[in-house]
Amino acid sequence: MPTDRTWPLNVPGLAYGGDYNPEQWPLETQIEDVRLMQEAGVNLVSVAIFSWAQLEPREGVYEFGWLDAVLDRLHAGGIRVALATATASPPPWLTRKHPEILPELADGTVLNQGARQSYAVASPLFRTYAVRMTRKVAERYRDHPALALWHVDNELGCHVPHDYSENAAAAFRTWLEQRYGTVEALNSAWGTAFWSQRYDSFDEVLPPRAAPTSLNPSQQLDFARFSSDEHRAHYRELRNVLREITPHVPTTTNFMMNTHNKWVDYFSWAGDMDVVANDHYLTASDPEAHIGLAFSADLSRGVAGGEPWMLMEHSTSAVNWQPRNRAKGHGEMLRNSLTHVARGADAVMFFQWRQSLAGAEKYHSAMVPHAGRDTDVWHNTVELGQRLQALEPVRGSRVTADVALVFDYPSWWGAEMDCHPTDALSYPEEMLRWYRALWRCGITVDVVSPQTDLSGYRAVFVPTLYTVTDRDAARITEAARAGASVLITFFSGIVDEHDHVRPGGYPGAFRDLLGVRTEEFHPLQEGETLTLDDGSRADLWSEKTHLDGAKATRTWAEGPLAGLPAVTQHNVGQGSAWYVATRPDDAAVAAIVDQVLTEAEVAPAVAGLPQGVEAVRRHAADGSRFLFVINHTDHGVDVPTRGRDLLSGHNIADTLHVPVLDSAVIHEH
């Protein structure tokens, strides 16, 4: 497949559908499903994700007849298929025969059969069985006309991000030897002179299993990298089989790019995807979950390198796995779906098509709910299908942004380890703190990795980039020198890629860029806040910072650091660099963001929109522009624009009215 990730799905318009599990239903229901899919406008469904035990009920005994019939029926109904490798959960006969493929926790607890993902991803034996099943499926359906996409495994690294079994130990040693070459280089990278941890050979190395006290942080960081890489190696092994047999069919797997799935570095996986796909679910307890949704969508677009991507799963209403699950309110599912499309998705899919009657996810909502067609959920399912059909002109267009937010998985891993100045730091919370302020300003943001070329951005926000290589630090510095306004927050640039502190004062890699030097951290205690000279408050973090070329824009008004800088600005080359050496309250963050955006001359897509209304543009290669306006508020809003509303079909002369909790998409003139 081409590596530019141009949209590979051969389906009409935007893809629409969800996970389809016909093996749970009798034939008459399966026949009804196709008719209902046509009514809803569904054109793509994911099939056979958890079907290994149905396809191979006993070792070497295959029963494909039922799946043949399903695919034939879908094809006859004009519905295409994202066909899974069926490897997401090994069948009971396999784990009973080979319990050595089961994963282990750090304390040695074995995770047994009875749920899903009950396999050690580094197990050569499991991988052999998974490759065999993948080959069987690919050979049988290589020429089936319904086949549009391969869905490899499912949510890799979700339930078992780390395996500590002997399988993992052997694979970890191999990974380390490939990374470092010699045990001497490993000892240097891990700082094993501390606590008599020196290794004489790679054979002595173990995963970071349960130990008497704090584990080596460099070892933990490398084990996180290894675990992400090992899941990717599993993906690649199955994908290579599919490419061998069906080089004309694109492959993907569903990522989980939200602020909960910590342990897979999706940026490092992006080049292996023919199309980037993501699953996203709202957090019921978050009153601004739609902002987290927007972040996830922007991150998905960032991982996709700005190309269109797939929303592989979200929910029509409540999920089943949170402490208190919440049904979605009026218009919420429609707004959620269009937010993903606004931010670059050319496919909208759900878990799942029909709500299960048994099993752990029977209370997870679906496109066809338990209560059937006479429901708001079903009416919303049909309405969304109609809306997506009307948005066919949007397909293939791109989102552009003047602002980048730098997101880094290794920094997430490293910043939240133990034995740090505070264990209350949450990397996602710091990321969302700045993203929310930008969202409320109506600013479109690219969420990118530190390896991204930043030269095209007017403003770059870098929250808590704890671990950073010299090359990535230089790239951020160059963005400022070239004219961008760069904002960096506390606990950034502290260590190199091996988690070794950069000596000479904090913030390490960014001291010269920022024109400051911090001699000591002063973390705040739980519930403690301090006042800045502008009257704002800050918590969690403070530093004894000295100016070294920068100017203070805010200082501490009280406490042991009174009079010292809390927020600074430093002119660098053609741009500037801001440092925020604390965690300001939301009002202060908003004020700082406003200063940076003003300095960088960055404006929102639509000026003057009230809080709770988002506006994002997609741009087509032919010059067409599509303005998405999504109203999350309880009052209607007027938006100045001209063009045709693709959802209503109305022509807009100068002002668009978007009703309460509704959306509009304008093909602008």
Side-chain angles (χ1 to χ4, degrees):
M1 296 299 298
T3 57
D4 62 359
R5 286 198 300 278
T6 52
W7 191 240
L9 285 185
N10 185 19
V11 296
L14 302 182
Y16 179 48
D19 287 14
Y20 181 40
N21 299 289
E23 63 270 31
Q24 299 178 15
W25 301 97
L27 178 59
E28 58 269 24
T29 303
Q30 295 180 38
I31 292 172
E32 181 190 37
D33 283 335
V34 175
R35 181 178 60 78
L36 293 180
M37 288 177 189
Q38 292 171 326
E39 180 181 338
V42 166
N43 57 17
L44 182 70
V45 291
S46 301
V47 178
I49 293 174
F50 296 106
S51 295
W52 193 341
Q54 279 75 29
L55 293 174
E56 189 180 11
R58 290 166 297 284
E59 183 172 6
V61 176
Y62 297 97
E63 296 182 359
F64 284 105
W66 68 271
L67 187 54
D68 294 347
V70 167
L71 266 59
D72 291 347
R73 196 177 299 117
L74 291 168
H75 173 63
I79 299 156
R80 305 209 72 198
V81 170
L83 186 57
T85 57
T87 54
S89 283
W93 62 257
L94 178 53
T95 53
R96 182 172 182 268
K97 180 178 180 180
H98 295 292
E100 65 271 25
I101 74 170
L102 294 169
E104 292 184 18
L105 300 181
D107 64 1
T109 299
V110 174
L111 301 178
N112 283 289
Q113 180 75 42
R116 66 184 195 180
Q117 270 187 14
S118 50
Y119 61 78
V121 72
S123 165
L125 183 60
F126 167 72
R127 299 261 278 267
T128 297
Y129 276 98
V131 164
R132 189 179 74 180
M133 171 52 79
T134 298
R135 184 171 294 277
K136 285 287 185 181
V137 173
E139 288 176 342
R140 188 167 187 96
Y141 299 108
R142 63 192 304 167
D143 296 318
H144 199 286
L147 179 60
L149 177 70
W150 286 114
H151 182 125
V152 178
D153 210 281
N154 187 70
E155 294 182 339
L156 288 162
C158 171
H159 301 299
V160 191
H162 304 309
D163 169 44
Y164 299 85
S165 68
E166 283 303 312
N167 290 307
F172 186 38
R173 295 182 193 110
T174 299
W175 184 90
L176 290 170
E177 193 161 5
Q178 292 172 347
R179 180 176 177 86
Y180 293 109
T182 67
V183 73
E184 290 78 13
L186 172 70
N187 282 316
S188 176
W190 283 12
T192 58
F194 184 80
W195 279 358
S196 188
Q197 292 178 353
R198 177 189 173 277
Y199 296 99
D200 196 47
S201 74
F202 286 102
D203 291 340
E204 296 175 352
V205 179
L206 293 172
R209 293 169 174 161
T213 186
S214 300
L215 291 157
N216 184 321
S218 301
Q219 178 188 17
Q220 293 182 71
L221 190 58
D222 265 350
F223 191 69
R225 292 187 177 108
F226 154 76
S227 297
S228 178
D229 285 355
E230 195 65 18
H231 281 95
R232 184 179 61 179
H234 174 51
Y235 169 84
R236 285 174 169 174
E237 197 167 1
L238 302 187
R239 180 211 57 192
N240 290 346
V241 171
L242 300 170
R243 284 188 175 176
E244 171 198 336
I245 298 170
T246 57
H248 59 291
V249 180
T251 61
T252 192
T253 190
N254 43 340
F255 293 168
M256 301 181 71
M257 286 180 278
N258 51 40
T259 54
H260 307 292
N261 196 41
K262 176 179 181 180
W263 296 111
V264 180
D265 182 355
Y266 291 119
F267 284 109
S268 72
W269 287 47
D272 291 302
M273 303 296 126
D274 293 325
V275 58
V276 168
N278 188 43
D279 296 351
H280 184 270
Y281 294 99
L282 302 182
T283 301
S285 59
D286 183 359
E288 292 187 319
H290 55 280
I291 300 181
L293 183 158
F295 172 84
S296 177
D298 288 340
L299 175 57
S300 300
R301 188 179 70 253
V303 170
E307 299 292 333
W309 52 277
M310 296 184 70
L311 176 63
M312 185 69 86
E313 290 183 23
H314 70 317
S315 66
T316 56
S317 193
V319 298
N320 67 297
W321 42 267
Q322 296 179 20
R324 295 172 184 260
N325 298 294
R326 181 182 66 83
K328 290 186 176 180
H330 174 70
E332 188 174 2
M333 183 271 270
L334 299 171
R335 297 195 308 278
N336 291 166
S337 299
L338 290 186
T339 293
H340 288 289
V341 176
R343 297 174 186 274
D346 274 3
V348 174
M349 302 182 73
F350 292 90
F351 180 84
Q352 59 181 321
W353 164 251
R354 185 180 286 272
Q355 193 169 11
S356 300
L357 300 182
E361 294 183 300
K362 59 183 174 290
Y363 295 118
H364 192 296
S365 61
M367 300 171 79
V368 182
H370 288 154
R373 297 174 65 229
D374 188 18
T375 57
D376 287 341
V377 166
W378 173 250
H379 297 322
N380 288 336
T381 294
V382 174
E383 182 178 353
L384 178 59
Q386 294 168 346
R387 289 189 172 200
L388 294 177
Q389 288 174 355
L391 295 182
E392 182 174 0
V394 171
R395 174 176 162 168
S397 60
R398 307 292 194 269
V399 178
T400 60
D402 292 324
V403 176
L405 182 72
V406 176
F407 182 92
D408 182 52
Y409 286 95
S411 283
W412 187 356
W413 304 336
E416 294 185 356
M417 287 184 188
D418 58 0
C419 298
H420 277 190
T422 177
D423 66 1
L425 187 150
S426 164
Y427 182 81
E429 185 179 334
E430 297 312 310
M431 189 66 52
L432 286 171
R433 183 178 303 277
W434 296 92
Y435 182 87
R436 286 191 193 100
L438 291 163
W439 188 94
R440 289 168 180 152
C441 290
I443 302 299
T444 302
V445 177
D446 283 346
V447 181
V448 301
S449 80
Q451 291 80 49
T452 301
D453 179 5
L454 300 172
S455 59
Y457 296 103
R458 294 183 181 180
V460 179
F461 289 78
V462 188
T464 311
L465 189 63
Y466 170 71
T467 176
V468 64
T469 65
D470 292 343
R471 179 176 296 182
D472 292 343
R475 189 177 292 108
I476 292 168
T477 298
E478 181 53 34
R481 295 191 183 282
S485 294
V486 174
L487 180 143
I488 297 174
T489 76
F490 68 94
F491 215 40
S492 292
I494 305 302
V495 299
D496 64 14
E497 62 268 34
H498 304 300
D499 202 35
H500 291 200
V501 170
R502 296 174 179 272
Y506 315 118
F510 298 120
R511 280 197 312 270
D512 292 342
L513 168 64
L514 296 170
V516 299
R517 185 178 69 87
T518 290
E519 62 174 280
E520 188 178 12
F521 301 135
H522 281 241
L524 303 184
Q525 300 304 301
E526 184 174 2
E528 182 182 7
T529 63
L530 292 175
T531 304
L532 279 63
D533 62 349
D534 65 349
S536 62
R537 306 286 293 179
D539 66 357
L540 184 72
W541 193 273
S542 64
E543 302 178 0
K544 184 180 288 186
T545 302
H546 305 284
L547 300 176
D548 190 12
K551 64 179 180 181
T553 64
R554 289 166 181 78
T555 60
W556 294 105
E558 61 177 336
L561 305 179
L564 291 179
V567 181
T568 64
Q569 188 267 345
H570 186 214
N571 293 326
V572 180
Q574 300 178 56
S576 72
W578 295 69
Y579 185 51
V580 182
T582 185
R583 189 170 76 176
D585 60 29
D586 287 349
V589 167
I592 295 168
V593 165
D594 184 65
Q595 285 183 279
V596 173
L597 295 177
T598 299
E599 177 186 81
E601 298 182 344
V602 175
V606 177
L609 289 181
Q611 288 288 320
V613 180
E614 57 182 312
V616 182
R617 279 192 178 89
R618 290 182 60 161
H619 301 258
D622 65 1
S624 297
R625 301 192 312 172
F626 304 96
L627 175 65
F628 287 73
V629 181
I630 301 168
N631 184 3
H632 300 282
T633 73
D634 59 2
H635 53 270
V637 60
D638 292 329
V639 180
T641 186
R642 299 182 62 176
R644 183 171 180 270
D645 184 352
L646 295 178
L647 300 183
S648 69
H650 297 154
N651 291 318
I652 308 301
D654 52 18
T655 302
L656 164 73
H657 181 76
V658 183
V660 172
L661 301 176
D662 206 349
S663 307
V665 182
I666 307 303
H667 188 175
E668 293 183 313
H669 296 161

